[in-house]
């Protein structure tokens, strides 16, 4: 006779009880989501004030984690951007120029005078008095035998250096460009991900496409324009000394200066080209309010940046200090006093939303290169509602047909299989909630497929039991032998399907990966419910009811 202990029965049913607890918020999705959104916004009471009287009631002792709904179910924004990789080449050449200048100055008696020609771009041109001195400069850089100190990044093997009459033309090698491309794309992906995640959105999908493109999908975001405001700015922040101001956009500036407009392009500032300190030295940035209760952004530098910032403010009291964001002066306050500690505040004509967005951009960091928008699309929430409704109908119809079929063919055993099937759905829901998976339309298709596959194992077992009954075995022996003989077939069938789901997950992307996740999770839970849960119900039924015949 088959026996099962109380402890084993509890251990089999306890995962379902836990799963029911975890998945409970999903049965009241919209209300719990509203509470979660309010909780996020209410973290900064100074910026967000809402009336809590209209919020739905949800006991605080209940869980609030929800399944993340994908773009096709929840609606949201999608943007395809291309990273302008040559921007990173220019930045790299600018860094090389700092060291090259040190090297050339270290041997000035032989090389003589030199000067950089034109604006910095992918090719650096340095002019000498004659071609012989240009050749000497090339040899000096290539050999690396120089006495200049504090050389940080100069690696002659990364450069192509040519002599053209009196000019030294310096550009990046192909190997160096490939390395920069890879680093730029990785950094751009990470910074975009940090910017979007800081906005409090749910499970964004950020993927590299091709060599220089990035696809960003953010469920729940109102429009593509809103998403572009987060990811569309380079967000390069620098602090500069101000020489003077002018309204002439064609003002001729001296070497070492730059002409930068304000945000309205009405006034222009003549600034020192080399920044006093940059946003790379920021430790933190938070939305706040100035002394006039206007939205602003407070910031905090790291120790190195804070020391530079403090020393400059101490030595330049009464002078203008320009704050430049993406080649526009957003603020140029007068330094009123020494600002030790490396903290300050950025003021401007901000709204609350703009100050919050700027703080997010500064915390996430500057993009290493500019981006170009290739495609933007907004998926309305109505489409998501229709998709969810269609998915519910499909799952409901499929589930009801399976339930009716199992009861009709296998009677009471079919009823037990149906109960295990519903428990299986709760287990899937709980696991998807815990692992933070994103549910999409293909994911729903995977769940619907799981409904049919979940009873396959039970069908195999029940047919084996039928064969044993036909051999005139007693009921308990028939059930025992049926499960023992069916186990290997169940494992083999589900392992092969799980391997297929694993391959789809590893090599697929987007919808394919969503399908593979729900299918893989469904296989694991259906095997558990078929081998343990349904068997437990059958054994309890046989022990308590003691039927004279089964499955006939």
């Amino acid at each position: 006779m088959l026996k099962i202990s109380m402890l084993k029965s509890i251990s089999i049913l306890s995962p379902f009880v836990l799963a029911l607890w975890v998945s409970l918020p999903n049965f009241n999705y919209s209300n719990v989501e509203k509470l979660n959104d309010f909780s996020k916004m209410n973290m900064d009471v100074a910026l967000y004030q809402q009336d809590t009287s209209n919020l739905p009631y949800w006991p605080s002792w209940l869980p609030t984690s929800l399944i993340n709904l994908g773009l096709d179910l929840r609606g949201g924004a999608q943007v395809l951007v291309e990273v302008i990789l040559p921007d990173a080449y220019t930045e790299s050449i600018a860094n090389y120029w700092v060291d090259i200048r040190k090297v050339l100055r270290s041997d000035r008696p032989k090389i003589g005078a030199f000067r950089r020609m034109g604006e910095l771009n992918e090719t650096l041109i340095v002019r000498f008095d004659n071609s012989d001195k240009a050749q000497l400069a090339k040899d000096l850089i290539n050999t690396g035998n120089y006495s200049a100190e504090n050389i940080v990044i100069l690696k002659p093997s990364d450069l192509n250096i040519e002599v053209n009459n009196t000019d030294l033309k310096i550009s990046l090698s192909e190997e160096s460009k490939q390395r920069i491309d890879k680093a730029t794309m990785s950094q751009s992906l990470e910074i975009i991900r940090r910017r979007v995640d800081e906005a409090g959105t749910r499970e964004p999908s950020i993927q590299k496409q091709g060599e220089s493109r990035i696809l960003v999908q953010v469920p729940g975001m109102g429009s593509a324009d809103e998403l572009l405001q987060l990811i569309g700015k380079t967000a390069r922040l620098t602090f500069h000394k101000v020489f003077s101001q002018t309204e002439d956009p064609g003002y001729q500036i001296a070497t070492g200066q730059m002409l930068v407009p304000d945000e309205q392009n009405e006034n222009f500032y003549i600034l020192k080209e080399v920044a006093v300190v940059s946003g790379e030295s920021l430790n933190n940035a938070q939305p706040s309010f100035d002394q006039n209760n206007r939205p602003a952004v407070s910031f905090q530098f790291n120790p190195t940046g804070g020391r530079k910032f403090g020393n400059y403010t101490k030595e330049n009291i009464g002078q203008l200090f320009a704050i430049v964001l993406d080649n526009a002066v957003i603020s140029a306050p007068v330094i009123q006093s020494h600002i030790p500690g490396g903290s300050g505040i950025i003021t401007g004509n901000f709204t609350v939303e703009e100050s919050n967005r700027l703080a997010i951009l500064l915390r996430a960091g500057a993009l290493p290169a500019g981006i170009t928008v290739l495609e933007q699309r907004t998926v309305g929430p109505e489409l998501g509602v229709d998709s969810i409704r269609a998915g519910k109908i499909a799952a409901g119809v499929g589930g009801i047909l399976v339930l009716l079929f199992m009861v009709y063919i296998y009677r009471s055993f079919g009823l037990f299989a149906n109960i295990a099937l519903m428990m299986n759905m709760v287990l899937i829901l709980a696991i998807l909630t815990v692992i933070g998976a994103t549910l999409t339309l293909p994911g729903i298709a995977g769940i619907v497929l799981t409904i049919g596959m979940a009873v396959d194992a039970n069908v195999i077992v029940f047919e084996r039991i039928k064969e044993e009954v036909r051999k005139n075995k007693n009921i308990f022996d028939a059930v025992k032998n049926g499960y023992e003989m069916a186990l290997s077939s169940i494992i083999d069938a589900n392992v092969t399907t799980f391997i297929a789901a694993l391959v789809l997950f590893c090599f697929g992307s987007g919808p394919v990966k969503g399908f593979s996740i729900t299918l893989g999770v469904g296989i694991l839970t259906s095997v558990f419910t078929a081998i343990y849960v349904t068997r437990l119900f059958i054994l309890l039924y046989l022990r308590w009811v003691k039927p004279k015949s089964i499955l006939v």
Side-chain angles (χ1 to χ4, degrees):
M1 180 180 292
L2 295 177
K3 294 182 179 180
I4 188 166
S5 65
M6 178 65 70
L7 181 60
K8 190 173 183 179
S9 300
I10 293 174
S11 63
I12 291 174
L13 294 177
S14 56
F16 169 72
V17 176
L18 181 61
L20 185 62
W21 171 268
V22 171
S23 60
L24 198 59
N26 293 288
F27 298 102
N28 191 22
Y29 197 98
S30 59
N31 288 335
V32 176
E33 182 183 39
K34 186 176 180 181
L35 285 170
N36 288 343
D37 290 342
F38 172 79
S39 177
K40 287 180 181 179
M41 291 189 298
N42 203 40
M43 288 170 61
D44 193 335
V45 181
L47 288 179
Y48 298 100
Q49 296 291 339
Q50 289 197 5
D51 181 12
T52 60
S53 60
N54 294 324
L55 287 175
Y57 174 72
W58 185 256
S60 58
W61 48 270
L62 286 177
T64 56
S65 298
L66 296 168
I67 285 183
N68 300 313
L69 297 182
L71 193 69
D72 49 1
L73 296 180
R74 193 182 181 193
Q78 173 177 300
V79 171
L80 178 65
V81 299
E82 184 167 23
V83 180
I84 307 173
L85 295 175
D87 284 359
Y89 303 158
T90 301
E91 182 74 18
S92 183
I93 284 290
N95 292 332
Y96 275 116
W97 169 237
V98 174
D99 282 352
I100 289 172
R101 184 168 50 192
K102 292 179 183 177
V103 171
L104 298 179
R105 285 176 175 173
S106 69
D107 210 358
R108 191 184 289 272
K110 291 182 180 179
I111 294 174
F114 62 90
R115 64 184 184 276
R116 190 190 80 199
M117 303 301 296
E119 298 292 329
L120 279 174
N121 48 43
E122 293 182 51
T123 301
L124 173 65
I125 300 177
V126 185
R127 182 160 294 174
F128 297 84
D129 292 338
N130 55 59
S131 59
D132 291 338
K133 292 183 177 180
Q135 184 63 48
L136 283 173
K138 175 183 177 181
D139 295 340
L140 177 63
I141 296 172
N142 278 333
T143 58
N145 295 323
Y146 38 76
S147 59
E149 297 179 354
N150 300 321
I151 303 301
V152 180
I153 67 166
L154 183 54
K155 297 178 181 178
S157 59
D158 291 341
L159 302 173
N160 290 328
I161 306 176
E162 301 176 2
V163 176
N164 184 11
N165 293 326
T166 61
D167 292 343
L168 198 65
K169 297 179 66 176
I170 304 172
S171 59
L172 298 171
S173 65
E174 286 302 316
E175 294 79 4
S176 181
K177 286 184 177 180
Q178 291 176 6
R179 186 173 64 252
I180 291 172
D181 289 350
K182 184 177 180 180
T184 300
M185 290 302 297
S186 298
Q187 189 177 356
S188 297
L189 282 166
E190 179 60 26
I191 288 174
I192 288 176
R193 180 173 289 107
R194 280 171 18 201
R195 289 182 179 184
V196 176
D197 284 347
E198 288 245 23
T201 53
R202 288 184 178 275
E203 199 64 25
S205 173
I206 303 170
Q207 303 172 12
K208 178 183 175 184
Q209 289 197 343
E211 296 298 323
S212 60
R213 295 181 177 183
I214 298 175
L215 179 65
V216 185
Q217 295 177 320
V218 185
M221 184 161 278
S223 67
D225 289 337
E226 184 181 348
L227 177 57
L228 283 174
Q229 288 177 348
L230 272 180
I231 69 173
K233 282 192 174 183
T234 308
R236 184 173 181 82
L237 183 74
T238 50
F239 298 77
H240 294 262
K241 178 181 181 178
V242 179
F243 291 111
S244 61
Q245 302 179 52
T246 179
E247 296 181 357
D248 180 12
Y251 183 86
Q252 295 298 314
I253 58 175
T255 303
Q257 297 179 348
M258 62 180 186
L259 188 67
V260 182
D262 60 13
E263 291 184 290
Q264 291 75 33
N265 283 320
E266 297 174 352
N267 196 22
F268 295 83
Y269 293 83
I270 296 92
L271 309 178
K272 188 173 182 179
E273 187 176 25
V274 178
V276 175
V277 65
S278 69
E280 296 174 357
S281 300
L282 284 177
N283 261 351
N284 194 18
Q286 294 292 337
S288 61
F289 293 91
D290 62 14
Q291 65 271 22
N292 297 317
N293 205 32
R294 292 176 301 186
V297 176
S298 59
F299 60 86
Q300 176 71 45
F301 286 114
N302 61 26
T304 302
R307 185 166 54 253
K308 292 179 180 178
F309 185 75
N311 292 339
Y312 184 84
T313 57
K314 182 179 181 180
E315 298 169 359
N316 293 272
I317 295 174
Q319 302 296 317
L320 290 176
F321 193 37
I323 303 172
V324 180
L325 178 68
D326 289 345
N327 202 36
V329 176
I330 60 173
S331 181
V334 176
I335 300 174
Q336 302 289 350
S337 61
H338 174 216
I339 307 176
S343 61
I345 188 168
I346 301 173
T347 60
N349 295 320
F350 301 136
T351 64
V352 170
E353 291 76 14
E354 288 171 344
S355 66
N356 189 47
R357 190 179 302 120
L358 177 57
I360 290 173
L361 293 176
L362 297 181
R363 285 198 303 272
L367 286 171
I371 59 175
T372 301
V373 180
L374 301 179
E375 176 189 339
Q376 59 184 85
R377 184 156 53 104
T378 301
V379 179
E382 293 81 10
L383 178 61
V385 172
D386 291 341
S387 300
I388 293 174
R389 186 182 300 113
K392 286 181 178 178
I393 292 173
V397 172
I400 290 173
L401 291 177
V402 169
L403 295 179
L404 292 176
F405 175 81
M406 291 299 293
V407 172
Y408 177 75
I409 298 297
Y410 297 111
R411 302 297 190 270
S412 56
F413 278 28
L415 178 62
F416 300 146
N418 290 340
I419 295 173
L421 175 62
M422 289 183 283
M423 295 173 66
N424 184 33
M425 293 297 103
V426 174
L427 287 170
I428 293 174
L429 201 62
I431 293 175
L432 293 178
T433 301
V434 170
I435 66 177
T438 300
L439 184 63
T440 60
L441 273 178
I444 292 179
I447 292 177
V448 174
L449 179 60
T450 301
I451 292 175
M453 295 179 59
V455 296
D456 281 354
N458 289 313
V459 170
I460 294 174
V461 171
F462 295 164
E463 290 301 323
R464 290 287 190 181
I465 294 175
K466 274 187 175 183
E467 292 177 4
E468 293 299 304
V469 170
R470 294 190 189 103
K471 295 178 182 178
N472 295 322
K473 296 285 183 70
N474 67 61
I475 294 175
F476 289 101
D477 287 341
V479 171
K480 178 182 178 181
N481 294 340
Y483 270 99
E484 288 177 351
M485 290 187 296
L487 184 60
S488 61
S489 299
I490 294 172
I491 298 298
D492 291 344
N494 284 279
V495 164
T496 53
T497 308
F498 185 79
I499 291 174
L502 188 62
V503 171
L504 289 176
F505 178 80
C506 293
F507 296 99
S509 62
V512 175
K513 185 169 288 189
F515 174 79
S516 66
I517 289 175
T518 54
L519 179 60
V521 171
I523 290 171
L524 296 176
T525 56
S526 62
V527 169
F528 170 76
T529 54
I531 294 178
Y532 293 104
V533 178
T534 308
R535 186 179 186 180
L536 173 64
F537 291 157
I538 291 175
L539 294 179
L540 294 177
Y541 169 73
L542 296 179
R543 182 177 300 175
W544 293 344
V545 178
K546 296 182 175 59
K548 295 182 179 180
S549 62
I550 55 173
L551 296 177
V552 292

